Amino acid sequence: GQQLNQSPQSMFIQEGEDVSMNCTSSSIFNTWLWYKQDPGEGPVLLIALYKAGELTSNGRLTAQFGITRKDSFLNISASIPSDVGIYFCAGQRTSYDKVIFGPGTSLSVIP
Amino acid sequence: GAVVSQHPSWVICKSGTSVKIECRSLDFQATTMFWYRQFPKQSLMLMATSNEGSKATYEQGVEKDKFLINHASLTLSTLTVTSAHPEDSSFYICSAPALGGEAFFGQGTRLTVV
């Protein structure tokens, strides 16, 4: 079945540093999604990408939909302590379809 | 963004009993909802697709007689874990696609079977 790989698995960074994480897929997705999950909570949608090559920002977050439709990256600029959490990339083959999740990247921010 | 609400947030039940979890889309209608399960330090794994007015579609390896899904209205889907056992203890999360098709998730239900 479809499988997503995410890297890095975990990151420990200093407050104020920029962060970059990426996601690759064995097959094509037509929608890429990035979520953040805090402990004991459901994932919260950060950015949705709908077109190959699309670059979208949400505050300090920027994400891109890879041209091959098999990859995406998420950048966080000037990290702050509340950025701590698990970041998941996810893909949909079509709108309204089930969401397939990557394994997640655990982000820790050192004040 | 769209709001999806789950109830209860956490539940403890005895082994052998059944537990019902509700998932509601609060400000939009959803003909389809999705149920996921997440074990500690793991990602979300899709269990089943809930379809309003018809039978749910289960992912491979998920027992449909154990995890009963009912999608009785355009804003409510329920997941019932029947004859729960300790290995069913997990974090159960539902999602529904909003207007743009992207999925919004409930806050999750922590199930502990003792």
Side-chain angles (χ1 to χ4, degrees), chain B residues 36-64:
Chain B
Y36 293 78
R37 181 167 52 182
Q38 185 179 32
F39 291 107
K41 298 191 184 301
Q42 294 188 21
S43 187
L44 285 78
M45 297 300 295
L46 180 67
M47 298 175 65
T49 302
S50 172
N51 303 300
E52 189 268 336
S54 65
K55 289 182 180 180
T57 305
Y58 291 82
E59 295 298 300
Q60 192 172 6
V62 177
E63 299 175 57
K64 62 179 181 180

Side-chain angles (χ1 to χ4, degrees), chain A residues 69-90:
Chain A
R69 296 180 178 268
K70 291 185 176 183
D71 64 300
S72 176
F73 72 74
L74 174 72
N75 288 339
I76 305 173
S77 62
S79 58
I80 58 178
S82 62
D83 290 335
V84 167
I86 310 293
Y87 290 79
F88 290 101
C89 66

Side-chain angles (χ1 to χ4, degrees), chain B residues 13-17 66 81-89 111-114:
Chain B
C13 71
K14 288 186 178 179
S15 189
T17 61
K66 180 168 187 63
V81 183
T82 63
S83 186
H85 290 284
E87 57 265 29
D88 298 323
S89 298
L111 170 64
T112 302
V113 185
V114 298

